[in-house]
């Protein structure tokens, strides 16, 4: 499909093996595209869902609209596991989500689709799942258009103590390599799994400008071990400890500058 206009209750239904490529056109319906099997590649086009938001129900001989603009149904259909690759296109739902993935029981955990739905471009009116975003890409929200854009992540630059500039592919990589005298400006949100922390090692002093972004930690975001950390301009969300300061010989220092918010969900903030 490279152009034109397709309108119906479920204009595109893909339950079989095969390859479907969409690079243009406007597709409008209760659920514009419903995928149960095969390979679907979307590089352009507009997908507009007009249906009401309805909970998923399994249909052994078709698909039931959910109001999402794109549905990927992992229901063990005879055609095999579906794969969807999105490099462009615009996904809009008036009442539900830009896209959603379901299993046969109606679960929407994106981890089941992490290996089969890959997104490296496109515009969405609801936030895509991070699990589906390809490496090197970021989700950027535009408060003028009220839409989410999947874009190439710009590199993160770190200015060292001697003025040397080091460049990292992601902000997370930059924060994992802190050195004495570093000044880091974070350019995207950073997610830390349980067991991951940003460590300010013994004897080093660093300044981190979060750039209005958030550090989201499953356990603790920062650990300062007899070093010095200054943080400004952003949010730290942690399910345990926001910033842990280990000062065995009273050598650790923490400075919270302008615009810092720390949220400790189940524990303390500092």
């Amino acid at each position: 499909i490279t152009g034109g206009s397709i309108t119906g209750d479920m204009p595109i239904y893909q339950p079989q093996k095969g390859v479907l490529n969409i690079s243009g056109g406007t597709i409008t319906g209760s659920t514009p595209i419903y995928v149960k099997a095969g390979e679907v590649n979307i590089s352009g086009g507009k997908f507009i869902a007009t249906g009401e938001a309805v909970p998923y129900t399994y249909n052994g001989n078709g698909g039931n609209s959910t109001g999402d603009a794109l549905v990927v149904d992992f229901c063990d259909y005879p055609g095999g596991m579906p794969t969807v690759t999105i490099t462009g296109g615009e996904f809009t739902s008036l009442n539900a989500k830009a896209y959603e993935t379901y299993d046969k029981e109606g679960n929407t955990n994106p981890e089941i689709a992490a290996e089969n739905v890959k997104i490296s471009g496109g515009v969405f009116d609801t936030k895509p799942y991070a699990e589906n975003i390809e490496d090197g890409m970021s989700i950027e929200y535009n408060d003028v258009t009220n839409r989410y854009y999947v874009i190439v992540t710009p590199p993160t630059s770190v200015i060292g103590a001697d003025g040397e500039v080091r460049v990292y592919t992601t902000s997370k990589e930059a924060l994992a390599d802190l050195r004495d005298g570093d000044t880091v400006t974070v350019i995207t949100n950073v997610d830390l799994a349980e067991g991951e922390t940003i460590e300010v090692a013994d004897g080093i002093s660093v300044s981190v400008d979060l750039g209005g972004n958030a550090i989201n930690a499953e356990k603790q975001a920062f650990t300062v071990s007899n070093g010095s950390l200054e943080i400004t301009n952003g949010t730290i969300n942690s399910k345990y400890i926001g910033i842990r300061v280990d000062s065995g010989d009273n050598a650790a220092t923490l400075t919270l500058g302008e615009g810092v918010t720390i949220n400790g969900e189940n524990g303390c903030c500092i």
Side-chain angles (χ1 to χ4, degrees):
I1 300 172
T2 60
S5 178
I6 306 174
T7 302
D9 183 52
M10 189 176 290
I12 298 178
Y13 173 59
Q14 169 91 358
Q16 70 283 334
K17 294 180 180 179
V19 179
L20 170 63
N21 296 319
I22 303 174
S23 60
T26 299
I27 302 163
T28 306
S30 294
T31 289
I33 178 168
Y34 197 110
V35 182
K36 278 189 171 181
E39 175 186 332
V40 177
N41 303 300
I42 301 173
S43 59
K46 294 183 178 181
F47 306 85
I48 304 169
T50 58
E52 295 299 318
V54 178
Y56 168 93
T57 53
Y58 173 68
N59 187 331
N61 189 29
N64 297 325
S65 173
T66 59
D68 306 307
L70 164 66
V71 168
V72 186
D73 190 347
F74 295 97
C75 63
D76 298 321
Y77 221 54
M81 187 75 78
T83 62
V84 176
T85 301
I86 300 173
T87 59
E90 186 172 341
F91 300 81
T92 303
S93 173
L94 302 185
N95 301 300
K97 291 187 177 181
Y99 79 95
E100 188 56 275
T101 61
Y102 300 95
D103 66 13
K104 197 171 184 177
E105 286 70 44
N107 299 313
T108 60
N109 188 335
E111 292 179 359
I112 69 171
E115 296 302 317
N116 296 82
V117 178
K118 300 292 187 181
I119 301 175
S120 59
V123 182
F124 306 82
D125 71 341
T126 58
K127 189 176 183 178
Y129 292 117
E131 289 87 346
N132 300 132
I133 304 301
E134 291 274 54
D135 291 343
M137 311 302 294
S138 298
I139 304 169
E140 182 177 280
Y141 179 71
N142 186 302
D143 57 10
V144 176
T145 63
N146 294 319
R147 292 181 177 273
Y148 295 88
Y149 296 77
V150 177
I151 62 171
V152 175
T153 304
T156 298
S157 297
V158 176
I159 302 175
D162 57 0
E164 174 192 9
V165 177
R166 306 192 310 274
V167 178
Y168 297 83
T169 302
T170 67
S171 292
K172 186 174 182 178
E173 290 178 5
L175 292 169
D177 189 33
L178 294 174
R179 307 175 191 179
D180 187 36
D182 278 352
T183 299
V184 184
T185 300
V186 175
I187 59 172
T188 63
N189 294 337
V190 174
D191 296 323
L192 301 174
E194 187 169 354
E196 291 184 316
T197 186
I198 300 165
E199 184 173 3
V200 180
D202 191 356
I204 75 169
S205 176
V206 298
S207 175
V208 177
D209 180 346
L210 293 176
N213 296 293
I215 307 294
N216 303 306
E218 287 295 318
K219 193 168 184 182
Q220 58 197 44
F222 287 87
T223 301
V224 185
S225 303
N226 291 326
S228 177
L229 171 65
E230 178 184 10
I231 301 179
T232 57
N233 188 27
T235 303
I236 297 171
N237 300 312
S238 173
K239 293 183 178 178
Y240 182 56
I241 297 174
I243 304 173
R244 178 170 179 166
V245 182
D246 292 330
S247 186
D249 57 5
N250 297 318
T253 62
L254 171 66
T255 303
L256 300 181
E258 290 290 330
V260 176
T261 300
I262 303 177
N263 301 309
E265 182 177 326
N266 297 319
C268 59
C269 294
I270 300 174

